[in-house]
Amino acid sequence: RRLTSSWKPSEAGMLTPLEPIPSIARPAAARLVLSNGLTVTLEVTDDSRVFAAHVLVKGRAAAEPPGRNGCAELLHMLAGEGTRSHPGASFQKALAGIGGMLKVTDDAQIPFDDIFLSSDYTYLRLEALDELASSALDLLREVLSEPYLPAGDSEAAFIQAKNRLSARARAAMESPRESARRLLAAALWGDSAAPAAPLFGLPDTIEAIRSEEIRAFHRRYFHPKNLVVGINTSIPLRQVLPLVER
């Protein structure tokens, strides 16, 4: 729509104000902390009919065990492969059933897809159709609380995930931006400070991660008290709040 000035010329050559521009209604919003310690923010807007849940996991580099840099990224990769209730192909079927899209890691091939990349936290997002918000929240709960994690070090999915992460770590080592970030953090806080750690780990630290370590890390890192979930939807607050609190 073409924008117009809020002033118009009068017959006497003076500027007189037009009618006041109507104020734009602010989205309805709420913030709550559930009984399990999970922090949830809600924003309701009519801009779209997409239900989007953004999850911020606090800590990242500081939360990783010593000598196991890359643990957080590896956990995210595995969480995107399926859950105990929906392993393998059934997870993709469940995701398609809600018209969903799940982002658990950044795509190095997409420019600026790493907008949320930080040593302070990790990020994942689930989007679905508004009318299927209840099912979307159920699937998000599975991803966070019961991802399908390897029972042993020799599981093919675990080995493949570690190999993919090692390739990403090697690429990051050649990135001028990542090198500059680590050098600056080391100069400010020291080489051993969490912000100076490689975000994707190093090939040797990734190789050292054992399956029992990733399971223990999941219990601590994806604990509700360590999560902040932000939800955007067009569903009225009085309807979406019970879905979140149940």
Side-chain angles (χ1 to χ4, degrees), residues 17-18 31-32 36 52 62 65 74 79 114 119 135 152 154 172 210 237 245:
L18 293 172
R31 180 184 184 276
L32 60 155
N36 61 3
L74 182 59
D114 60 353
S119 62
S135 298
S154 61
R210 306 273 74 87
L237 277 178
E245 293 175 326

Side-chain angles (χ1 to χ4, degrees), residues 162-231:
K162 289 172 68 173
N163 288 341
R164 294 198 308 272
L165 181 54
S166 291
R168 183 70 192 273
R170 285 191 289 270
M173 290 167 63
E174 299 175 0
S175 164
R177 187 179 70 171
E178 172 64 2
S179 297
R181 183 196 67 81
R182 292 188 63 196
L183 286 170
L184 177 60
L188 291 173
W189 299 294
D191 291 338
S192 60
L199 293 177
F200 303 102
L202 299 170
D204 58 337
T205 65
I206 296 166
E207 178 58 31
I209 299 171
R210 306 273 74 87
S211 58
E212 65 270 16
E213 291 174 323
I214 203 71
R215 293 194 301 272
F217 182 70
H218 163 256
R219 290 191 294 271
R220 181 165 48 85
Y221 190 58
F222 276 10
H223 190 281
K225 291 183 178 180
N226 201 47
L227 306 177
V228 178
V229 178
I231 293 176

Side-chain angles (χ1 to χ4, degrees), residues 51-200:
F51 177 88
H54 308 262
V55 182
L56 185 150
V57 193
K58 295 177 285 187
R60 190 170 187 142
E64 292 179 325
R68 297 296 185 270
N69 298 116
C71 231
E73 188 75 7
L74 182 59
L75 175 58
H76 273 249
M77 294 172 70
L78 293 168
E81 295 295 323
T83 68
R84 290 198 296 270
S85 298
H86 292 92
S90 67
F91 179 71
Q92 296 303 321
K93 185 177 179 180
L95 198 58
I98 59 172
M101 294 177 59
L102 177 67
K103 171 188 171 68
V104 290
T105 60
D106 302 320
D107 188 336
Q109 305 304 314
I110 300 177
F112 307 112
D113 192 53
D114 60 353
I115 186 172
F116 294 107
L117 186 61
S118 169
S119 62
D120 295 326
Y121 58 82
T122 52
Y123 170 84
L124 63 89
R125 179 179 67 242
L126 176 63
E127 296 173 296
L129 302 174
D130 257 342
E131 56 265 34
L132 297 173
S134 178
S135 298
L137 281 171
D138 287 341
L139 195 59
L140 181 61
R141 288 188 188 97
E142 289 184 20
V143 170
L144 295 173
S145 64
E146 53 171 274
Y148 185 84
L149 299 178
D153 296 340
S154 61
E155 280 198 25
F158 188 49
I159 295 173
Q160 291 167 6
K162 289 172 68 173
N163 288 341
R164 294 198 308 272
L165 181 54
S166 291
R168 183 70 192 273
R170 285 191 289 270
M173 290 167 63
E174 299 175 0
S175 164
R177 187 179 70 171
E178 172 64 2
S179 297
R181 183 196 67 81
R182 292 188 63 196
L183 286 170
L184 177 60
L188 291 173
W189 299 294
D191 291 338
S192 60
L199 293 177
F200 303 102

